[in-house]
Amino acid sequence: MNIDLHCHSRASDGLLSPAALVGLAAARGVDVLALTDHDDLSGLEEAARAADEHGIRLINGVEISSVWRDELSVHVVGLGVSTDDVELCGGLERIRHSRAARAERMADSLAKAGIPGALEGALTYAGNASLLSRTHFARFLSDNGYARDTRSVFNHFLVPGKPGYVEHQWALLEDAVKWIRSSGGTAVLAHPGRYGLPRATMRELLGEFRDMGGEAVEVLSGSHSPEQFREFAMLAKEFGLTASRGSDFHGPGESRTELGALPLMPPGVTPVWQSW
Ligand code: AMP
Ligand code: MN
Ligand code: MN
Ligand code: MN
């Protein structure tokens, strides 16, 4: 079985429509796909119809932007969430609302660095201000010659200490986990290798995440090196967390890892899908 439990459509910062994304997943041999747009469930209905047509299984997913200990931005993937849970939908709605105001502050910061028109520019990629993410700004900056491609944008812009980065108050990590659980879903710590945490702090995060009700951690992530696959497999075992597998695909040519292209789960860990 080829299982990919993390990817994005145009309902957040992906390049493909939900239906096109599911079609591509099917063509690449994915059997089970979770669509996990940032803070948004609106692509799931179209994705479910396409999954029916292609004969693959779609898991209703989401990737919630949250903050841990008041300072570290952490992403939590929810798998198997219900799309009409009041708590989850209300929480996501508040995050999306805050994205619009954040985008204005990001554009102000870029304007001060001599880059005008970034808000309008990013909007042409997002379509809707409540979806605006750093990815849309990265597309604007790269297409206008400020960097070679969207990935290299993040070496010079949109990250702490660089133009276009602003502090932001996301959801609390414990609330993100609570909303996912209240809607019947499983909370998965996304791409832990991306947070740049020292080993001891990473262990504190994993312990606290588990105590909040988190159940799984992405061991196989498109953001991880093979060495990190092994590292997080060991940590998952140690902390009694199950293990997830997700490419974090955003679109052809823009992502490091293609849909469904990750290796098999290392032996000895319990996959998050074992109980499905
Ligand atoms: P936001 O949720 O607005 O903070 O945007 C985060 C998104 O920006 C992530 O989901 C990625 O799609 C993208 N992103 C962040 N850092 C990088 C990076 N170093 N390289 C490529 N994309 C990145
Ligand atoms: Mn993204
Ligand atoms: Mn993420
Ligand atoms: Mn993602």
Side-chain angles (χ1 to χ4, degrees), residues 8-262:
H8 298 272
S9 76
R10 294 182 61 161
S12 61
D13 60 353
L15 289 171
L16 302 178
S17 69
L21 181 77
V22 169
L24 181 60
R28 292 194 52 91
V30 173
D31 303 290
V32 182
L33 180 75
L35 174 60
T36 56
D37 277 308
H38 296 287
D39 312 311
D40 195 291
L41 304 172
S42 68
L44 292 171
E45 206 178 299
E46 179 184 317
R49 278 197 304 272
D52 270 351
E53 279 167 29
H54 290 280
I56 73 174
R57 176 163 173 203
L58 182 85
I59 306 292
N60 281 342
V62 66
E63 181 177 16
I64 303 183
S65 312
S66 78
V67 65
W68 179 55
R69 291 186 173 173
D70 277 343
E71 56 180 8
L72 181 73
S73 165
V74 164
H75 288 175
V76 188
V77 162
L79 297 175
V81 296
S82 124
T83 54
D84 53 14
D85 182 82
V86 176
E87 253 201 283
L88 175 64
C89 293
L92 298 181
E93 167 81 45
R94 287 195 295 280
I95 301 176
R96 289 196 302 270
H97 186 76
S98 79
R99 276 187 181 275
R102 172 193 185 234
E104 290 186 24
R105 291 185 287 124
M106 291 170 67
D108 288 346
S109 163
L110 288 167
K112 285 203 188 85
I115 301 174
L119 184 62
E120 298 72 20
L123 260 175
T124 64
Y125 298 87
N128 179 338
S130 66
L131 299 183
L132 275 172
S133 84
R134 286 185 287 160
T135 311
H136 301 110
F137 282 90
R139 290 183 188 136
F140 162 77
L141 289 168
S142 127
D143 287 349
N144 287 277
Y146 295 104
R148 191 175 65 248
D149 53 29
T150 51
R151 287 173 57 80
S152 53
V153 167
F154 289 94
N155 298 327
H156 307 284
F157 304 99
L158 310 177
V159 293
K162 307 282 181 177
Y165 182 81
V166 298
E167 295 283 325
H168 189 63
Q169 193 55 58
W170 301 108
L172 299 179
L173 176 60
E174 56 260 48
D175 285 338
V177 172
K178 194 177 74 186
W179 301 334
I180 290 167
R181 287 170 62 89
S182 82
S183 80
T186 299
V188 184
L189 186 66
H191 44 62
R194 272 210 2 212
Y195 304 134
L197 293 177
R199 227 178 143 68
T201 318
M202 176 52 72
R203 302 169 77 85
E204 289 169 12
L205 171 59
L206 290 169
E208 285 186 32
F209 178 70
R210 182 196 54 204
D211 294 345
M212 288 168 189
E215 288 172 52
V217 59
E218 281 184 350
V219 166
L220 299 174
S221 162
S223 301
H224 286 175
S225 64
E227 158 125 80
Q228 288 173 320
F229 298 158
R230 290 188 285 275
E231 176 189 349
F232 288 104
M234 300 238 301
L235 286 167
K237 272 189 275 188
E238 180 185 335
F239 282 86
L241 295 159
T242 59
S244 191
R245 177 182 197 263
S247 61
D248 208 356
F249 181 79
H250 281 71
E254 216 181 72
S255 288
R256 203 175 353 168
T257 306
E258 297 299 316
L259 278 170
L262 289 163

